[in-house]
Amino acid sequence: MQSRIGWTTETARVLAEGEKLEDDWLMLGRVIEPDEHLTVRRVWLRGATTGRLGLLLTFAAGGRPLDPLPARPGEYVPGALSFYPGALPMRALLTQSAPRRPAPRPSGLNARQALAAYVESLAADPWNERWPLVLQDVRPARHGEGWALVDAYGDALELLPGWDAMRLLAVSAGDPITVAGEWNRAGLRPMTCWQGDRPVTL
């Protein structure tokens, strides 16, 4: 709750006292929101063994470059995450212990399972605005005036209004694919998709 009203936790304190978890962290994808005053980057991770989700949040002011990414989307980053305190602890600091390495295509959920996971996150933190999802065996399709990802059961998750699905269409070529995205109440923002085991950054 303190973070919701502007209180912050010092980096050194998080590294010293925060919950630590070692794993091979799959980089699901990243979202960059540029602004003339402040650029924000969110990097979403998922532990290969634990399944735990992590968020690396980076800021750059005044047009300065962001710190280098620890890996490319679709790669493993071996290391430890130190989590910030919170009702739904996802934001973390990464201490990388080995070089990044390739990862296979991740397992995913269908549309109903994905929404259920998001609802479960809201039970822990009603103010949670974003949630990483990995959808398995979905196809991009027209949905009203926009686009959606449709699973094998015919259920769909809408993409963010105005999001261009052409690259997803090119990768899928009509076949089902795996897609990692960032979900909020406005829709899904795809970050990475997989053609076989080959990740494609969106």
Side-chain angles (χ1 to χ4, degrees), residues 17-100:
E17 302 176 9
E19 176 194 3
K20 287 185 176 58
L21 198 57
E22 289 267 0
D23 210 333
D24 288 334
W25 297 98
L26 173 65
M27 184 173 166
L28 296 174
R30 86 293 179 262
V31 173
I32 299 175
E33 295 180 341
D35 185 273
E36 59 179 314
H37 301 297
L38 184 71
T39 298
V40 180
R41 183 181 67 201
R42 295 185 295 276
V43 173
W44 292 102
L45 306 172
R46 188 175 77 179
T49 301
T50 62
R52 181 74 175 268
L53 296 171
L55 169 63
L56 306 181
L57 195 57
T58 307
F59 304 94
R64 294 187 176 183
L66 292 159
D67 294 338
L69 287 169
R72 295 187 182 95
E75 292 182 329
Y76 281 138
V77 190
L81 287 186
S82 300
F83 289 89
Y84 284 76
L88 187 66
M90 287 192 297
R91 186 183 176 189
L93 299 171
L94 172 68
T95 303
Q96 192 166 346
S97 60
R100 67 194 190 196

Side-chain angles (χ1 to χ4, degrees), residues 138-140 168-177:
V138 291
R139 292 179 173 90
L168 270 178
L169 286 169
V171 173
S172 70
D175 295 327
I177 55 175

Side-chain angles (χ1 to χ4, degrees), residues 114-188:
L115 282 180
Y118 175 62
V119 170
E120 188 176 340
S121 80
L122 292 179
D125 181 359
W127 290 275
N128 182 35
E129 297 177 355
R130 301 177 182 88
W131 187 251
L133 298 176
V134 181
L135 299 171
Q136 185 171 303
D137 295 334
V138 291
R139 292 179 173 90
R142 279 288 184 184
H143 189 80
E145 296 182 358
W147 290 87
L149 294 177
V150 182
D151 66 18
Y153 301 96
D155 297 318
L157 287 184
E158 292 186 26
L159 302 186
L160 283 176
W163 201 86
D164 186 358
M166 291 302 106
R167 193 161 188 198
L168 270 178
L169 286 169
V171 173
S172 70
D175 295 327
I177 55 175
T178 296
V179 179
E182 182 186 77
W183 173 261
N184 62 42
R185 291 176 177 88
L188 183 75

